[in-house]
């Protein structure tokens, strides 16, 4: 078993998820990662006898219904540390009916490890759910890594591995993403997961090495300032505005504009944890005080001067609710800390997951549909594109009757 | 094109309040995330923070004070007293509440037993019974959000739970019907009689909690540090000898140096052998531990793989 000092976790935190079709081995892979990294506690590893794959999957399948059926229903979050990095793993379900939980995991991850059962790939055809997960992960901007699993059942055939590699390469090309690293593994035996072995022809890295090398999130400091206001804190005489710096940096003396009304203001103080600081950068939870009086509420954004607000935009939308989306119905849209009403004006097309063709315009969306839509909002929203800023370019839709979170949206284009 | 990511690890340390050490950068990210979640409580009308005096709730209260500084957090503290608490933890609870100036509400399982809403065997653990008293308090004060210090690394069912965990009119967690939780865009919408459980420490591990206690010099009940105590060894666990849990005939009582990893119900919480007297020493032991926090200390979770899930469905936090 690999031993290392868990005192010395690396500074990078890598948030990754496993994705892919049911029974391709996602939960088994995470069990294997935890077991072979030597991070499992004795009582947690007690369920694994002689490396039985069922025991490996049960490390993360924490619900009774999951253990009874041998499937994953909802995301399990697991943590481990190595000298290189610390990891937050989201074990997402594969079943189509639980795609909403896969989308949840993807929105909180930087990297998606797509697990493919190599024995199930026939004449270059990937399973629909593999394609769906790859499409969602790509759409949401995650880096993709492919774990080609169950290679032991194919006698570690290089030819079969290359078939999968080619099939996924075609998929990546149609998703318009660059080269994706494929690694042949056996989650069941552990070969090529944490430790190398089994395939004499394989010269590449193990899966954990590839994950470790995944690109660090891009630095956010050089971008324009965005602080969605979460709460207004009132002292006897002073108002403080609490929020998280989504991107950019803020310092006392900065000239900013606030909210859709574009009030100009000067930052007087910046506090982190109640203490004044000379500057705060992306990720920091801050409290801002302005010089002079301003009218600011939750949902407003403190931004740099060059900001636009719009009431109509196009977006990619994953529909996550069993109740269909109905064109013309009002939903609650949340972007940053803003909640406003939204109307789906047009469903421009639905992405066909099988061949990535676009359907004709539609009037409704069903569970798990991914579509391009045009949305109109009651209040102006900050005009950031998802590709530029997750913090302000992503949004969620809530159903005003059932209160369900029914849609995951990414702003694609804004209309003046 | 890869979209911009929300966090920038290296820069968190550049906020001017922390040094550049890796652990500090990691803690800064977890702290900022927890504070962001605590500030989302402005989505609710009557939130309360569950404060027992234990280490996770002490960390949570510390974070809440930071999140709303220089103003006081806009919520009350609530403790469900099982009647099986360590006296030292209760006095710590009261002292800490006074220091923060936040109102402390205590509701006790004993009262629920008197009312008849809870029925437990004389010597049974009252851990599960807490759920009833908790829901009674939630309804009495019409709390629409209860903030707890639960972490996903504690247990397999916890690892499945959302940060904003919706509870129906029965206070029940419905694991198969959880709301998607996207990009930290939390959904705080509730129907009549429903409430939300909110877990700002979801992404923290036991080691992170101890790192943070050390970094921020957070006060804790002294039970968390090594002290001599009479115990009995049984099933690989150490059972404390207390008024509530006296030794049986024939038990071999030993006097050993122990500390508690959790300080819940006296009747079902076991200490571990330890010489650690500071947060740093506890952290070192935590990182070297070979048994998980619950595995080492909790009798009630050992009975059944789904014990926690079932209790949560009944309203346990």
């Amino acid at each position: 078993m690999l031993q290392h000092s868990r005192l010395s976790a690396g500074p990078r935190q890598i948030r990754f998820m496993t994705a892919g079709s049911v029974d391709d081995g996602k939960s088994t892979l995470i069990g294997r990662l935890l077991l072979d990294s030597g991070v499992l506690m004795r009582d947690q590893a007690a369920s694994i006898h002689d490396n039985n794959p069922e025991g490996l999957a049960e490390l993360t399948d924490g619900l009774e219904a999951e253990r009874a059926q041998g499937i994953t229903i909802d995301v399990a979050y697991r943590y481990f540390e190595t000298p290189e990095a610390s990891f937050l793993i989201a074990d997402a379900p594969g079943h189509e009916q639980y795609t909403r939980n896969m989308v949840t995991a993807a929105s909180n991850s930087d990297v998606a490890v797509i697990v493919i059962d190599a024995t199930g790939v026939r004449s270059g055809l990937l399973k629909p759910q593999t394609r769906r997960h790859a499409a969602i992960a790509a759409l949401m901007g995650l880096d993709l890594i492919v774990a080609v699993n169950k290679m032991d059942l194919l006698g570690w055939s290089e030819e079969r591995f290359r078939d999968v590699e080619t099939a996924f390469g075609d998929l990546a090309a149609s998703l318009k993403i660059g080269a994706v690293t494929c690694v042949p593994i056996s989650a069941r035996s552990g070969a090529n997961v944490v430790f190398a072995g089994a395939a004499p022809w394989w010269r590449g890295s193990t899966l954990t090495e590839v994950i470790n090398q995944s690109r660090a999130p891009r630095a956010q400091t050089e971008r324009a300032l965005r602080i969605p206001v979460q709460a207004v804190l009132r002292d006897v005489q002073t108002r403080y505005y609490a929020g998280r710096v989504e991107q950019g940096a803020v310092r006392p003396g900065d000239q900013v504009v606030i909210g859709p009304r574009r009030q100009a203001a000067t930052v007087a103080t910046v506090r982190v944890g109640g203490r004044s600081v000379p500057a705060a950068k992306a990720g920091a939870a801050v409290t801002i005080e302005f010089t002079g009086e301003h009218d600011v509420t939750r949902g407003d954004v403190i931004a740099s001067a060059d900001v636009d607000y719009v009431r109509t935009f196009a977006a990619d939308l994953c529909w996550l609710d069993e109740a269909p989306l109905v064109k013309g119905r009002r939903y609650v849209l949340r972007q940053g800390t803003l909640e406003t009403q939204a109307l789906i004006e047009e469903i421009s097309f639905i992405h066909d997951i099988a061949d990535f063709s676009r359907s004709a315009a539609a009037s409704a969306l069903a569970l798990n549909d991914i579509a391009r839509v045009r949305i109109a909002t009651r209040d102006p929203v900050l005009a950031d594109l998802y590709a530029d800023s997750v913090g302000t370019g992503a949004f969620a839709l809530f159903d005003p009757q059932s209160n369900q979170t029914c849609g995951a949206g990414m702003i694609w284009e804004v209309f003046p | 094109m890869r979209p911009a990511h929300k966090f920038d690890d290296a820069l968190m340390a550049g906020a001017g309040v922390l040094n550049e050490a890796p652990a500090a950068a990691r803690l800064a990210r977890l702290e900022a995330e927890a504070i962001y979640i605590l500030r989302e409580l402005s989505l609710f009308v009557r939130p309360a923070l569950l404060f027992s005096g234990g280490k996770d709730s002490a960390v949570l209260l510390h974070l809440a004070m930071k999140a709303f500084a220089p103003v006081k957090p806009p919520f009350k503290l609530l403790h469900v007293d099982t009647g099986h608490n360590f006296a030292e933890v209760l006095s710590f609870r009261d002292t800490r509440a006074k220091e923060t100036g936040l109102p402390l509400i205590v509701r006790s399982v004993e009262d629920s037993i008197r009312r008849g809403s809870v029925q437990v065997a004389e010597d049974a653990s009252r851990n599960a019974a807490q759920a009833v008293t908790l829901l009674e308090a939630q309804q009495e004060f019409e709390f629409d959000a209860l903030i707890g210090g639960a972490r996903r690394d504690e247990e397999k069912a916890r690892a499945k739970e959302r940060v904003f965990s919706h509870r129906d009119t029965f206070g029940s967690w419905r694991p198969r019907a959880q709301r998607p939780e996207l990009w930290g865009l939390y959904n705080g919408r509730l129907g009549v009689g429903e409430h939300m459980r909110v877990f700002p420490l979801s992404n923290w591990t036991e080691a992170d909690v101890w790192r943070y206690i050390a970094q921020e010099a957070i006060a804790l009940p002294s039970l968390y540090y090594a002290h001599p105590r009479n115990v009995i060894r049984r099933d690989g666990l150490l059972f404390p000898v207390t008024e509530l849990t006296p030794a049986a005939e024939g038990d071999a009582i030993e006097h050993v140096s122990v500390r508690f990893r959790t300080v819940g119900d006296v009747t079902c919480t076991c200490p571990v052998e330890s010489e650690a007297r500071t947060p740093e020493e506890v952290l070192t032991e935590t990182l070297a531990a070979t048994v998980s926090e619950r595995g080492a200390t909790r009798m009630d979770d050992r009975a059944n793989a789904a014990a926690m899930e079932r209790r949560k469905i009944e309203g346990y936090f």
Side-chain angles (χ1 to χ4, degrees):
Chain A
M1 187 169 284
L2 182 71
Q3 287 301 327
H4 53 71
S5 164
R6 289 191 291 131
L7 268 168
S8 56
R12 290 184 59 205
Q13 191 189 52
I14 300 175
R15 296 192 171 200
F16 76 91
M17 67 176 303
T18 51
S21 194
V22 61
D23 286 338
D24 282 7
K26 296 180 294 301
S27 297
T28 306
L29 174 60
I30 288 181
R32 172 60 61 191
L33 278 168
L34 295 171
L35 186 68
D36 285 2
S37 300
V39 297
L40 280 182
M41 299 290 166
R42 233 174 34 225
D43 52 319
Q44 294 166 330
S47 61
I48 307 165
H49 309 289
D50 307 321
N51 289 336
N52 61 323
E54 293 77 18
L56 286 172
E58 282 184 12
L59 285 170
T60 53
D61 285 340
L63 301 174
E64 271 189 279
E66 294 179 322
R67 287 190 296 272
Q69 298 173 60
I71 62 167
T72 305
I73 292 170
D74 209 339
V75 190
Y77 293 92
R78 298 296 305 241
Y79 309 83
F80 75 101
E81 299 176 356
T82 68
E84 292 78 37
S86 68
F87 298 89
L88 194 173
I89 317 173
D91 175 23
H95 283 80
E96 183 172 359
Q97 68 191 106
Y98 300 118
T99 299
R100 63 176 186 276
N101 299 331
M102 181 271 170
V103 173
T104 288
S107 80
N108 297 311
S109 300
D110 304 319
V111 178
V113 176
I114 309 275
V115 183
I116 297 176
D117 172 0
T119 67
V121 179
R122 297 267 169 233
S123 41
L125 282 180
L126 297 171
K127 293 179 194 167
Q129 200 64 348
T130 305
R131 303 173 66 87
R132 181 185 299 278
H133 281 190
I136 292 170
L139 196 66
M140 296 177 81
L142 276 63
D143 284 345
L144 267 52
I145 295 168
V146 178
V148 183
N149 194 21
K150 307 192 186 179
M151 285 300 297
D152 51 334
L153 301 181
L154 296 173
W156 294 91
S157 155
E158 181 172 7
E159 197 190 340
R160 296 292 296 272
F161 171 73
R162 299 296 170 201
D163 284 348
V164 180
E165 198 175 43
T166 306
F168 200 88
D170 293 346
L171 174 62
S174 59
L175 291 171
K176 298 184 174 59
I177 52 178
V180 172
T181 308
C182 296
V183 184
I185 65 158
S186 165
R188 192 190 180 94
S189 77
N192 255 344
V193 178
V194 175
F195 303 111
W201 46 267
W202 178 249
R203 302 275 173 271
S205 306
T206 63
L207 184 64
T208 38
E209 284 166 353
V210 174
I211 296 169
N212 262 319
Q213 291 151 12
S214 64
R215 200 142 35 108
R218 194 193 306 168
Q220 293 294 291
T221 317
E222 305 314 318
R223 294 171 173 274
L225 179 67
R226 299 284 185 267
I227 309 175
V229 175
Q230 283 187 286
V232 182
L233 312 178
R234 288 169 59 184
D235 219 345
V236 185
Q237 290 179 328
T238 320
R239 281 195 183 82
Y240 305 93
Y241 303 99
R244 178 169 68 193
V245 184
E246 293 292 347
Q247 58 172 47
V250 61
R251 296 170 190 81
D254 281 357
Q255 303 290 311
V256 297
V257 293
I258 310 165
R261 282 176 295 149
R262 305 170 68 92
Q263 304 170 68
T266 306
V267 174
T269 63
V270 178
R271 286 184 173 79
V272 174
R275 276 191 275 173
S276 276
V277 294
K281 297 165 184 175
V286 296
T287 310
I288 303 287
E289 211 184 322
F290 297 115
T291 55
E293 287 287 308
H294 296 280
D295 177 14
V296 185
T297 59
R298 178 179 165 92
D300 285 344
V301 184
I302 299 165
S304 51
D306 57 345
V307 66
D308 287 316
Y309 285 84
V310 294
R311 279 200 171 87
T312 311
F313 55 86
D316 287 317
L317 185 67
C318 305
W319 193 249
L320 309 172
D321 204 7
E322 269 147 38
L325 173 143
V326 180
K327 201 172 88 175
R329 188 174 167 223
R330 289 179 183 195
Y331 292 91
V332 175
L333 179 141
R334 180 171 169 174
Q335 177 215 29
T337 56
L338 174 74
E339 278 189 26
T340 183
Q341 283 190 321
L343 201 64
I344 314 304
E345 289 190 324
E346 185 186 288
I347 300 169
S348 311
F349 55 83
I350 298 173
H351 292 280
D352 186 314
I353 295 301
D355 59 3
F356 299 100
S357 64
R358 298 168 168 193
S359 76
S363 60
L365 291 184
L367 179 68
N368 299 328
D369 275 347
I370 302 169
R372 178 73 48 78
V373 297
R374 196 179 71 215
I375 295 182
T377 56
R378 182 189 64 205
D379 299 301
V381 302
L382 197 74
D384 279 337
L385 305 185
Y386 182 78
D388 297 330
S389 171
V390 172
T392 41
F395 64 90
L397 292 182
F398 306 145
D399 184 307
Q401 263 70 49
S402 70
N403 288 333
Q404 262 299 333
T405 302
C406 53
M410 291 148 276
I411 299 176
W412 170 258
E413 185 183 4
V414 295
F415 305 119
Chain B
M1 177 166 37
R2 187 179 197 291
H5 190 269
K6 270 183 273 189
F7 287 95
D8 192 331
D9 287 347
L11 290 166
M12 294 293 302
V17 287
L18 292 162
N19 66 39
E20 297 287 336
R26 175 184 162 77
L27 284 181
R29 177 173 176 165
L30 288 168
E31 180 191 60
E33 184 179 73
I35 288 176
Y36 174 81
I37 294 161
L38 283 160
R39 287 169 169 178
E40 284 299 276
L41 289 161
S42 51
L43 289 167
F44 300 95
V45 182
R46 270 180 294 279
L49 186 143
L50 298 171
F51 183 65
S52 64
K55 70 178 187 308
D56 299 311
S57 68
V59 165
L60 198 55
L61 182 55
H62 180 86
L63 285 161
M65 297 303 285
K66 276 193 152 187
F68 296 93
V71 177
K72 261 196 280 183
F75 40 73
K76 295 176 172 158
L77 306 180
L78 170 65
H79 181 224
V80 174
D81 185 343
T82 58
H84 285 174
N85 289 292
F86 293 96
E88 191 214 351
V89 177
L90 294 187
S91 74
F92 173 81
R93 174 199 74 187
D94 295 341
T95 308
R96 197 65 197 107
K98 244 180 229 119
E99 285 167 359
T100 61
L102 296 176
L104 170 68
I105 296 167
V106 178
R107 285 295 176 267
S108 74
V109 172
E110 206 64 53
D111 289 339
S112 301
I113 293 172
R114 225 169 282 140
R115 278 193 292 272
S117 51
V118 165
Q119 296 187 345
V120 285
E122 185 66 22
D123 56 349
S125 151
R126 293 182 174 180
N127 207 24
Q130 281 182 72
V132 175
T133 311
L134 178 63
L135 290 175
E136 286 173 346
Q138 182 261 319
Q139 281 161 16
E140 179 185 354
F141 294 94
E142 295 178 24
F143 290 129
D144 52 358
L146 296 172
I147 313 149
R151 310 186 318 266
R152 285 170 174 157
D153 81 326
E154 285 178 72
E155 204 276 335
K156 279 199 288 193
R158 284 248 195 269
K160 293 270 167 181
E161 195 161 13
R162 300 280 191 258
V163 173
F164 268 43
S165 183
H166 179 261
R167 300 303 169 104
D168 63 17
T169 50
F170 279 86
S172 184
W173 181 52
R174 298 197 305 147
R176 305 182 77 153
Q178 297 196 89
R179 294 175 178 175
E181 201 156 79
L182 309 161
W183 298 291
L185 297 169
Y186 297 113
N187 177 348
R189 301 173 68 85
L190 295 169
V192 176
E194 300 173 347
H195 73 280
M196 200 71 78
R197 303 284 170 90
V198 177
F199 302 113
L201 304 184
S202 288
N203 287 331
W204 296 50
T205 63
E206 186 186 11
D208 292 325
V209 166
W210 280 106
R211 283 184 184 121
Y212 194 67
I213 288 166
Q215 175 186 288
E216 303 280 303
I218 296 171
L220 291 185
S222 61
L223 289 173
Y224 281 109
Y225 302 104
H227 58 282
R229 180 175 285 272
N230 286 337
V231 296
I232 297 159
R233 279 177 214 276
R234 204 184 288 155
D235 307 330
L237 293 174
L238 297 179
F239 286 70
V241 180
T242 69
E243 276 181 29
L244 285 165
T245 54
E249 240 186 67
D251 276 342
I253 299 175
E254 293 176 58
H255 196 64
V256 290
S257 179
V258 296
R259 67 178 168 86
F260 285 86
R261 283 171 81 176
T262 67
V263 294
D265 191 312
V266 174
T267 63
C268 67
T269 307
C270 300
V272 294
E273 284 193 86
S274 171
E275 297 292 339
R277 287 166 208 289
T278 64
E280 289 80 5
E281 287 170 9
V282 174
L283 176 62
T284 306
E285 284 190 1
T286 302
L287 292 167
T290 56
V291 177
S292 76
E293 181 174 324
R294 285 192 170 262
T297 65
R298 300 299 282 267
M299 303 164 218
D300 47 343
D301 289 337
R302 288 160 58 116
N304 180 314
M308 171 72 86
E309 180 183 352
R310 287 185 189 161
R311 286 211 306 272
K312 288 165 76 68
I313 287 168
E314 282 155 20
Y316 189 76
F317 89 95

